[in-house]
């Protein structure tokens, strides 16, 4: 495939829609301004601009060529300024094929080629090629030259371990997505006999007119809105993660997902920096969690998460078998965690309660009759602080460090020694007196930025133990061995 | 991480930080003067002026007389063959380990004040973090930079 190729002509259409969408604000502004006078001129100008844009994009399409040559993807583009971009095969980290709704009508895909660079956009982007062409390009640009043996393996793709989300699971994931949090919080407050708590003067004063609208009507309306939010949450999850399938293809993970927009994501195993398990507050009591990975490099796309979801909804008991199949290197969840020392509890409580103490004070000062609200917030923040303390901890297993902590949901991170970029121990005056320390680990995150994990107020002996484990002094060889083991 | 790193940074760092603090305080003083003038001509309450002056005095005390010395005393570093070990922080003491094989690049940099004292700052970057060893003697800094860069040239495994 050394001859230069053009994109599918539909690319003109896609790019046109994209730039029209960017300009829609201008059009609306123009429409409003010229609505009364000179509307005809406005229409003419707008029409002219659209024609110009079509010409521009057609020309851009004509000038945009790509080819694979000498182990490089060579893209040439630009109307007035000719640009050539050569991406070496060896530098390509991932090749993603995405098909939006319109793409799927024409059986087209968008190809995004990413290197380790930290730009906000994919380094190489082909907005529309036919599905066959996209897949051919991908197999051609695959990083490594395959041995015959691997070629065979590739052919028997069905043998690769693979997990697909069931519809029931997906529905459950949607109905417990974050939007339900808002609703739950609302219901808890709303139905705990709220009327008892609302003091009389509120009725008689400023809220009078609201009451006159009939409380029932308003309540019904709010409930309706909340149910809508909830249903939208379900729909959103279904659309995003519909048909979610993850396959372990020896040197890479392959994910396809999406009901309307079909997305194929390839994650080379050696780009995975850490694996995490997140149990959100709603899913945790049900025994469910999401598994995700921190992948280095990559680009920032609209609607893209910071972490790559490896499985959106999984029973906690299924995680170990899942990792065993998909990422055997990470399939060693510990049973025993080193907890935080008792002395740490007061710091955790203080941190989570402080904003609410201030807020509560403000409430008591300005709206003394709403003191019950302050008390509820206070209790919640106390529980949260307590839970954060209980859920903090670490475990060491060979060359892997596992850290668990809670922000709102509970996170468990599995990080290999060689993936940790820097190790930091922090202590302030009170920490030093109480033999406590905060540990911070840094790994490479997406978009070339670092990702940092903190475990606050550990025993100082624990941080020292971990720093000894991390320190490379006099054990460079051991680390080399780890590297090989870690790869497998 | 039980023992602090061994090497201190150049003693002139204190002077550099004092000058930086003085410049910062100078800006605060300027702001205070403007506030005082505006309040005077518009007849605002003199409390604005008092608060502005208090802030200026406090920052002078902190950033010129107290903190530079404490900061210098805390700042330590040590470069091993396999890793870099640094300690810094006045209230919160941080100790950081940066393995050589994680180092992506090393820079030295020098602003006008540092140059005045023949000092330079070494910056060590990994793929995820950036670490600074401020105010070393120029020759120490460039030697350190070359040394780290040489040590960091260990056989690279994948990122």
């Amino acid at each position: 495939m050394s001859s230069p190729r053009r994109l599918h002509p539909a690319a003109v259409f896609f790019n046109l829609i994209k730039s029209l969408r960017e300009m829609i604000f201008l059009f609306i502004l123009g429409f409003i301004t010229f609505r009364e006078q000179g509307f005809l001129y406005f229409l003419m100008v707008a029409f002219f601009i659209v024609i110009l844009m079509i010409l521009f994009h057609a020309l851009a399409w004509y000038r945009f060529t790509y080819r694979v040559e000498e182990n490089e993807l060579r893209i040439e583009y630009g109307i007035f300024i000719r640009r050539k971009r050569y991406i070496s095969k060896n530098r390509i980290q991932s090749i993603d094929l995405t098909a939006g709704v319109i793409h799927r009508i024409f059986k087209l895909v968008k190809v995004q080629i990413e290197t380790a660079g930290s730009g906000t956009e994919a380094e190489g982007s082909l907005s529309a090629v036919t599905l066959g062409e996209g897949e051919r390009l991908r197999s051609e640009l695959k990083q490594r030259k395959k041995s015959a043996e691997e070629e065979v393996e590739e052919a028997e793709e069905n043998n690769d371990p693979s997990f697909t989300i069931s519809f029931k699971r997906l529905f459950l994931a949607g109905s417990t997505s974050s939007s339900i949090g808002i609703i739950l919080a609302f219901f808890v407050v709303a139905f705990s006999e709220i009327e008892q708590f609302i003091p009389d003067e509120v009725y008689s004063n400023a809220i009078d007119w609201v009451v006159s609208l009939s409380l029932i009507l308003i309540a019904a309306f709010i409930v309706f809105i909340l149910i809508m939010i909830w249903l939208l949450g379900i729909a959103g999850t279904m659309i995003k993660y519909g048909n979610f399938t993850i396959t372990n293809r020896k040197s890479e993970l392959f994910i396809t997902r999406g009901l309307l927009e079909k997305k194929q994501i390839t994650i080379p195993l050696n780009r995975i920096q850490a694996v995490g398990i997140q149990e959100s507050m709603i899913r945790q009591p049900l025994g469910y969690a999401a598994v995700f990975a921190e992948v280095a490099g990559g680009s920032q796309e609209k609607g893209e998460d910071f972490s790559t979801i490896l499985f959106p909804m999984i029973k906690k008991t299924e995680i170990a078998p899942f990792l065993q199949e998909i990422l055997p290197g990470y399939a060693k969840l510990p049973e025993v965690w080193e907890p935080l020392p008792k002395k740490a509890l007061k710091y955790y409580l203080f941190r989570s309660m402080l904003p609410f103490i201030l807020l509560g004070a403000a409430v008591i000062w300005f709206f003394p009759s709403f003191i019950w609200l302050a008390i509820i917030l206070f209790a919640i923040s106390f529980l949260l602080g307590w839970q954060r303390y209980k859920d903090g901890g670490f475990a060491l297993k060979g060359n892997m460090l596992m850290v668990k902590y809670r922000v709102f949901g509970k996170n468990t991170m599995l990080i290999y020694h060689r993936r940790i970029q820097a190790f930091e121990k922090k202590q302030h005056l009170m920490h030093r007196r109480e033999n406590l320390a905060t540990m911070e680990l840094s790994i490479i995150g997406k978009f070339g930025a670092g990702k940092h994990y903190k475990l606050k107020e550990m025993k100082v002996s624990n941080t020292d133990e971990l720093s000894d484990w991390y320190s490379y002094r006099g054990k460079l060889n051991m680390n080399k061995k780890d590297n090989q083991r870690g790869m497998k | 991480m039980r023992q602090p790193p061994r090497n201190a940074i150049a003693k002139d760092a204190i002077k550099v930080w004092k000058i930086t603090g003085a410049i910062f305080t100078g800006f605060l003083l300027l702001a205070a003067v403007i506030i005082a003038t505006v309040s005077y001509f518009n007849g605002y309450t003199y409390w604005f002026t008092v608060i502005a002056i208090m802030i200026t005095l406090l920052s002078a005390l902190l950033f010129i007389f107290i903190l530079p010395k404490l900061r210098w005393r805390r700042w330590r570093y040590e470069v091993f063959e396999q890793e870099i070990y640094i300690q810094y922080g006045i209230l919160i003491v941080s100790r950081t380990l940066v393995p050589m094989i994680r180092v992506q690049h090393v820079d030295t940099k020098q602003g006008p004040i540092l140059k005045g004292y023949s000092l330079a700052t070494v910056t060590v970057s990994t793929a995820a973090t950036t670490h600074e060893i401020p105010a070393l003697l120029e020759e120490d800094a460039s030697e350190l930079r070359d040394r780290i860069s040489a040590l960091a040239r260990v056989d690279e495994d994948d990122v």
Side-chain angles (χ1 to χ4, degrees):
Chain A
M1 200 173 78
S2 58
S3 63
R5 281 163 176 263
R6 294 212 170 80
L7 301 176
H8 190 277
V12 178
F13 178 62
F14 290 131
N15 290 334
L16 182 67
I17 286 182
K18 203 172 145 198
S19 40
L20 279 180
R21 212 166 46 193
E22 277 156 17
M23 284 180 65
I24 195 131
F25 186 68
L26 265 180
F27 280 113
I28 291 172
L29 202 72
F31 179 77
I32 291 167
T33 326
F34 297 108
R35 197 180 33 191
E36 312 268 294
Q37 289 174 350
F39 186 60
L40 198 68
Y41 290 107
F42 165 69
L43 268 189
M44 276 165 66
V45 170
F47 187 69
F48 183 68
I49 290 174
V50 170
I51 293 287
L52 215 64
M53 271 161 61
I54 292 174
L55 281 176
F56 172 80
H57 284 297
L59 209 58
W61 170 80
Y62 180 76
R63 299 283 264 175
F64 187 109
T65 62
Y66 67 93
R67 62 188 193 272
V68 181
E69 213 172 68
E70 288 171 32
N71 284 327
E72 281 180 331
L73 173 70
R74 300 185 168 173
I75 301 175
E76 297 186 8
Y77 60 104
I79 297 175
F80 300 111
I81 305 165
R82 292 292 284 163
R83 293 167 195 271
K84 296 179 182 184
R85 173 171 278 181
Y86 292 3
I87 304 172
S88 162
K89 254 189 199 179
N90 303 329
R91 287 282 165 268
I92 293 176
Q93 292 301 338
S94 67
I95 305 158
D96 293 347
L97 304 184
T98 318
V101 183
I102 308 170
H103 279 93
R104 288 174 78 179
I105 295 171
F106 294 108
K107 285 209 161 57
L108 298 173
V109 286
K110 180 176 174 187
V111 183
Q112 279 166 305
I113 291 137
E114 276 168 16
T115 65
S118 55
T120 52
E121 266 178 39
E123 275 75 16
S125 180
L126 310 179
S127 55
V129 296
T130 57
L131 187 62
E133 171 73 6
E135 271 167 6
R136 213 155 53 86
L137 205 59
R138 181 166 61 188
S139 62
E140 199 162 348
L141 289 175
K142 272 276 173 66
Q143 202 173 335
R144 293 174 307 119
K145 290 181 193 75
K146 287 186 199 73
S147 61
E149 188 189 336
E150 272 175 307
E151 209 76 72
V152 173
E153 270 176 27
E154 195 88 350
E156 307 166 20
E157 226 162 68
N158 297 336
N159 287 347
D160 289 338
S162 169
F163 284 83
T164 305
I165 196 161
S166 67
F167 182 79
K168 201 180 124 206
R169 207 45 89 66
L170 193 62
F171 187 79
L172 196 62
S175 49
T176 57
S177 69
S178 54
S179 66
I180 198 179
I182 312 166
I183 298 154
L184 272 183
F186 178 82
F187 274 80
V188 165
V189 176
F191 291 111
S192 58
E193 293 166 286
I194 190 164
E195 273 179 68
Q196 280 185 26
F197 288 110
I198 297 179
D200 290 343
E201 63 259 39
V202 174
Y203 281 113
S204 50
N205 289 339
I207 315 291
D208 235 14
W209 67 275
V210 180
V211 179
S212 68
L213 276 178
S214 148
L215 266 176
I216 296 164
L217 200 72
I218 295 169
F221 183 67
I222 291 173
V223 168
F224 173 74
I225 294 270
L226 289 174
I227 289 174
M228 283 309 287
I229 294 175
W230 185 48
L231 288 177
L232 279 177
I234 296 179
T237 312
M238 295 281 228
I239 288 168
K240 193 169 174 195
Y241 293 115
N243 297 326
F244 187 99
T245 303
I246 183 165
T247 312
N248 174 6
R249 287 188 179 170
K250 302 297 177 285
S251 66
E252 62 190 22
L253 295 180
F254 184 70
I255 297 173
T256 55
R257 65 168 166 83
L259 224 50
L260 296 179
E261 191 187 54
K262 222 174 161 183
K263 216 170 162 119
Q264 303 185 344
I265 307 161
T266 323
I267 310 167
L269 286 191
N270 57 7
R271 303 291 299 173
I272 295 177
Q273 305 293 315
V275 168
I277 296 158
Q278 190 184 37
E279 297 162 71
S280 72
M281 278 174 133
I282 309 148
R283 290 176 191 173
Q284 194 183 6
L286 302 172
Y288 280 97
V291 182
F292 62 95
E294 297 299 342
V295 183
S299 60
Q300 192 162 20
E301 289 280 316
K302 265 180 241 152
E304 188 86 358
D305 305 303
F306 279 87
S307 313
T308 309
I309 299 284
L310 296 183
F311 211 77
M313 189 81 168
I314 189 165
K315 265 215 170 86
K316 255 201 102 177
T317 47
E318 294 167 356
I319 293 176
F322 170 78
L323 286 175
Q324 190 66 51
E325 292 287 337
I326 296 295
L327 276 171
Y330 285 92
K332 27 183 168 177
L333 297 168
E335 291 85 45
V336 191
W337 292 89
E338 179 73 30
L340 295 171
K342 276 218 177 66
K343 286 179 280 188
L345 177 61
K346 55 179 173 297
Y347 293 102
Y348 277 80
L349 290 181
F350 178 73
R351 262 197 303 270
S352 75
M353 288 173 79
L354 183 66
F356 291 101
I357 291 174
L358 298 178
L359 198 73
V363 166
I364 290 168
W365 185 258
F366 291 109
F367 315 96
S369 45
F370 277 97
I371 192 164
W372 57 273
L373 189 69
I375 291 171
I376 289 177
L377 286 177
F378 207 64
I380 290 174
S381 65
F382 179 86
L383 283 177
L384 189 64
W386 175 265
Q387 271 304 318
R388 280 181 183 160
Y389 162 73
K390 292 292 273 184
D391 286 331
F394 76 94
L396 205 55
K397 222 168 189 182
N399 51 357
M400 186 187 270
L401 176 59
M402 287 155 259
V403 183
K404 57 172 189 164
Y405 62 93
R406 176 187 288 280
V407 183
F408 292 102
K410 181 180 157 192
N411 288 302
T412 309
M413 297 304 306
L414 316 175
I415 313 169
Y416 269 110
H417 182 277
R418 69 203 184 92
R419 297 301 188 191
I420 302 172
Q421 302 287 323
F423 182 100
E424 189 160 344
K425 164 183 153 186
K426 291 183 182 182
Q427 280 184 303
H428 59 61
L429 207 69
M430 274 146 79
H431 284 160
R432 260 170 284 162
R433 211 170 288 155
E434 292 185 279
N435 285 327
L436 297 172
T438 293
M439 171 183 74
E440 187 175 325
L441 305 170
S442 303
I443 63 166
I444 310 174
K446 239 181 181 177
F447 328 135
K451 227 172 174 160
H452 311 280
Y453 299 99
K454 261 188 205 169
L455 191 56
K456 287 181 172 163
E457 281 96 23
M458 305 163 62
K459 272 185 216 152
V460 86
S461 58
N462 285 149
T463 48
D464 285 338
E465 178 197 328
L466 287 179
S467 71
D468 286 345
W469 166 80
Y470 183 63
S471 176
Y472 281 76
R473 248 170 282 168
K475 47 178 174 181
L476 202 62
N477 289 332
M478 176 206 108
N479 190 59
K480 277 240 169 81
K481 233 187 305 166
D482 281 358
N483 281 348
Q484 283 154 10
R485 221 185 311 150
M487 285 298 297
K488 280 178 184 151
Chain B
M1 272 199 186
R2 294 174 179 88
Q3 298 303 317
R6 231 175 269 149
N7 310 324
I9 57 173
K11 189 125 201 197
D12 278 344
I14 302 178
K15 289 182 199 155
V16 172
W17 286 330
K18 279 188 174 177
I19 293 171
T20 324
I23 292 171
F24 176 67
T25 311
F27 279 112
L28 284 184
L29 191 66
L30 195 69
V33 168
I34 291 169
I35 288 170
T37 325
V38 171
S39 319
Y40 180 77
F41 283 109
N42 290 316
Y44 297 152
T45 166
Y46 59 86
W47 276 108
F48 289 125
T49 315
V50 171
I51 290 170
I53 290 171
M54 294 270 272
I55 290 174
T56 313
L57 285 179
L58 198 68
S59 103
L61 186 68
L62 272 179
F63 294 111
I64 304 176
F65 297 106
I66 300 177
L67 294 183
K69 203 157 192 177
L70 289 177
R71 221 171 136 196
W72 178 80
R73 216 178 290 159
R74 185 77 75 203
W75 243 111
R76 305 244 146 198
Y77 73 97
E78 193 165 356
V79 177
F80 299 95
E81 200 180 315
Q82 299 89 352
E83 61 195 6
I84 304 161
Y85 183 22
I86 45 187
Q87 169 188 287
Y88 62 93
I90 297 163
L91 283 178
I92 300 171
V93 183
S94 297
R95 289 180 183 172
T96 311
L97 280 180
V98 186
M100 283 297 174
I101 53 167
R102 301 282 161 255
V103 173
Q104 298 276 328
H105 57 262
V106 208
D107 304 318
T108 47
K109 60 176 185 188
Q110 190 177 44
I113 306 171
L114 284 176
K115 196 170 173 65
Y117 287 93
S118 301
L119 298 175
T121 295
V122 177
T123 312
V124 180
S125 305
T126 70
T129 53
T130 309
H131 310 272
E132 223 179 52
I133 307 174
L136 296 174
L137 290 177
E138 258 172 12
E139 54 267 40
D140 286 356
S142 50
E143 195 218 63
L144 192 68
R145 179 197 58 211
D146 296 346
R147 203 171 129 218
I148 292 176
S149 140
L151 288 171
R153 224 171 288 147
V154 197
D155 192 22
E156 182 60 65
D157 58 59
D158 50 15
V159 187

